[in-house]
Amino acid sequence: MTPRRTAARRPIDIRIQDWREVYLEFGAADLERQAGRCLDCGIPFCHHSCPLGNLIPEWNDLVRRQHWLDAVVRLHATNNFPEFTGRLCPAPCESACVVGINSDPVAIKQVEVEIIDRAFAEGWVVAEPPGPVAVAAGQPVAVVGSGPAGLAAAQQLTRAGHAVTVFEEADQPGGLLRYGIPEFKLEKRLLDRRLEQMRAEGTVFRCGVRVGADLRPEALLAEFRAVILACGARVPRGLPVPGADLAGIHQAMEFLTLANRVVAGGVVTGEAGSPVSARDRHVVIIGGGDTGADCLGTAHRQGAASVTQLEILPRPPDRRPGSQPWPTYPMIFRTSSAHEEGGERVYAVSTREFVGDETGRVRALRLVEVDLADGRMTPRPGTEREVRCDLVLLAMGFTGAEDGPLLTGLSVVLDERGRVPRDDRYATPVPGVFVAGDMGRGQSLIVWAIAEGRSAAAAADRYLSGETSLPVAIPASATPLRA
């Protein structure tokens, strides 16, 4: 039996020190008026667009009436980590807001993050360890991976009474929340305070352990009655063009991880404190998504000479196109805080070749403008040109989960899309082994990862106990709203 930590119910000590400044700047009355714009719809489409099923009209109304403590209770009823989603989620709920049909939607994310920040500042967020009866009936459970899916599953199972151990190969827990998301987008103190809560509840973290190498899969199955795999989709998409092997071309996650370690005070070497630095370099980022924007903001902070972000798709429209009607999430032109800081965005271009200098380092890339027709990109004759660069960051997404000793030891074979196969209850073909998050779904959003972690926890609890009182947010086959 894996030992567990016992803890009394107590407030979490780590608080947001600047919450009152932020709150006063935004204005309590303004925020309450914003929440009051919610129509409390008979059919709240914001519910349906959020995989967590967040009770948005309910906590909007509670904020409107200044019942902040009740609001955080409703917020936590469906979401373990609203401080993460309130900062990182692209808010499909706002795209489905009924008010947004003919006006600006309710600023749901802003209300969400203000509720949870106030709750931490006031000491309302406390550890919720399970009672002695639940602990006595609990079983040892392993969660492999400590990103949002793994953390959500671990917290749910711990609160149900199980002895949960989270395995993380990095030196600290958090996964991409810690090492993939830049500090300017998610301050790590926000992550640390939630981890403190989880430890106080009894969750055990074992870091620096590579399951499959340091701990063999058969030993894991022998020690734990159930296992949840939540290792993410970490195989990056490459760019197979001439010159791709030149020095100075890196995957975005390599760049961001090293940068986050520098900010956290990790021991690294190289120029500007990081082995991969943008200082005084002409940076080109290939990929126009959120990861590319994270690279953009990080490159600015490292002192890049210039930053250019390339996207193969055309520039999105400013308003919702007719082909993406309400309440679906529209592909429109969006500007993040990183884009507001500078840099150039170039759309409808495709990289043809990387050009190196005499030392073997990239000095430029050759691109061509492309037209999108019938779902295919066609080069536009006479538009080829060179763009100066001596650092290239590939931010083109991920192709699936890593196929290594862990999956081999479990006799799990990835499907054609690089995902761990599972049924609608998150169970893999291996008895007692479940999978949650990007590892089973493929690359997705943080809100889907948390929803899957909560749902996989319910499935594991049912497997161990025969029944469960844990909520199921979504089945594994659920997909976003589409036209």
Side-chain angles (χ1 to χ4, degrees):
M1 184 77 172
T2 302
R4 65 181 303 125
R5 300 175 64 179
T6 59
R9 188 177 177 90
R10 62 182 180 84
I12 304 305
D13 294 330
I14 301 176
R15 300 185 178 185
I16 293 185
Q17 301 299 323
D18 61 350
W19 170 81
R20 295 187 185 280
E21 295 179 14
V22 174
Y23 184 57
L24 290 173
E25 180 181 353
F26 190 86
D30 288 341
L31 188 73
E32 289 154 7
R33 279 195 296 269
Q34 180 64 218
R37 296 180 63 234
C38 179
L39 299 177
D40 192 17
C41 306
I43 300 178
F45 280 85
C46 55
H47 280 193
H48 297 282
S49 65
C50 175
L52 283 166
N54 280 337
L55 306 174
I56 296 164
E58 294 186 29
W59 40 259
N60 271 330
D61 184 61
L62 290 166
V63 168
R64 178 187 66 83
R65 294 187 287 130
Q66 302 178 1
H67 295 175
W68 289 86
L69 179 55
D70 292 333
V72 76
V73 171
R74 302 311 291 151
L75 187 56
H76 271 145
T78 57
N79 189 352
N80 297 70
F81 314 122
E83 67 274 26
F84 303 156
T85 53
R87 289 171 168 84
L88 303 176
C89 181
C93 55
E94 293 185 9
S95 298
C97 176
V98 174
V99 177
I101 294 177
N102 56 12
S103 182
D104 291 331
V106 175
I108 297 170
K109 271 183 63 175
Q110 185 66 44
V111 177
E112 177 183 21
V113 79
E114 295 290 347
I115 293 171
I116 188 58
D117 284 358
R118 179 166 185 169
F120 270 106
E122 298 291 351
W124 297 336
V125 181
V126 298
E128 300 177 27
V133 174
V135 171
Q139 302 288 332
V141 179
V143 176
V144 185
S146 65
L151 292 180
Q155 186 167 62
Q156 292 294 95
L157 286 166
T158 297
R159 290 176 173 178
H162 300 291
V164 179
T165 300
V166 179
F167 292 90
E168 169 57 53
E169 69 175 14
D171 56 342
Q172 293 187 69
L176 290 183
L177 293 172
R178 184 175 298 280
Y179 292 120
I181 306 296
E183 183 79 7
F184 66 83
K185 195 171 179 180
L186 179 70
E187 296 171 273
K188 301 308 173 275
R189 59 192 175 95
L190 308 180
L191 172 61
D192 290 335
R193 71 182 183 186
R194 189 59 81 169
L195 293 171
E196 183 193 356
Q197 181 197 39
M198 294 182 65
R199 291 188 176 101
E201 292 170 348
T203 303
V204 174
F205 292 91
R206 289 181 58 184
C207 296
V209 179
R210 295 173 298 165
V211 179
D214 303 324
L215 177 63
R216 296 179 64 84
E218 54 266 31
L220 186 75
L221 294 177
E223 183 178 357
F224 297 95
R225 290 288 309 279
V227 176
I228 293 183
L229 305 178
C231 304
R234 303 192 299 175
V235 178
R237 192 181 306 278
L239 187 59
V241 298
D245 57 348
L246 290 169
I249 301 174
H250 301 271
Q251 285 290 338
M253 225 20 84
E254 177 191 3
F255 172 71
L256 291 172
T257 298
L258 291 168
N260 275 313
R261 288 188 177 278
V262 169
V263 173
V267 179
V268 293
T269 59
E271 55 189 338
S274 175
V276 181
S277 173
R279 181 178 296 278
D280 298 328
R281 295 203 178 277
H282 297 277
V283 182
V284 167
I285 302 164
I286 300 179
D290 288 342
T291 301
D294 292 345
C295 291
L296 178 71
T298 301
H300 284 148
R301 282 156 180 77
Q302 291 184 349
S306 67
V307 187
T308 304
Q309 188 175 8
L310 307 181
E311 170 58 54
I312 194 170
L313 294 173
R315 182 189 185 279
D318 292 323
R319 297 183 178 275
R320 182 191 292 272
S323 59
Q324 300 169 34
W326 177 90
T328 61
Y329 187 76
M331 299 304 295
I332 60 175
F333 184 73
R334 292 179 171 88
T335 300
S336 70
S337 61
H339 292 123
E340 292 174 348
E341 295 170 355
E344 181 183 5
R345 284 197 273 182
V346 181
Y347 289 91
V349 293
S350 178
T351 302
R352 285 290 188 87
E353 179 184 6
F354 295 110
V355 182
D357 60 17
E358 61 279 2
T359 69
R361 185 179 183 91
V362 64
R363 67 166 182 83
L365 64 77
R366 291 196 178 101
L367 56 75
V368 63
E369 296 178 15
V370 293
D371 294 315
L372 176 61
D374 299 325
R376 301 185 63 180
M377 296 295 178
T378 304
R380 189 180 304 163
T383 62
E384 289 195 16
R385 64 182 186 272
E386 279 193 5
V387 175
R388 180 184 179 184
C389 61
D390 46 15
L391 177 62
V392 176
L393 304 174
L394 306 179
M396 301 179 297
F398 303 87
T399 61
E402 292 182 329
D403 191 3
L406 170 59
L407 298 183
T408 301
L410 293 172
S411 298
V412 170
V413 179
L414 297 175
D415 67 13
E416 67 280 359
R417 293 178 56 188
R419 304 170 302 182
V420 173
R422 61 188 185 178
D423 63 19
D424 219 23
R425 290 189 174 184
Y426 299 88
T428 72
V430 183
V433 178
F434 302 83
V435 63
D438 291 1
M439 197 175 193
R441 171 169 292 275
Q443 181 182 350
S444 189
L445 305 175
I446 182 174
V447 68
W448 283 90
I450 296 173
E452 290 217 351
R454 289 170 61 89
S455 303
D461 186 40
R462 183 182 296 105
Y463 170 81
L464 294 169
S465 308
E467 59 182 7
T468 184
S469 60
L470 295 177
V472 177
I474 51 172
S477 58
T479 58
L481 286 174
R482 292 187 173 91

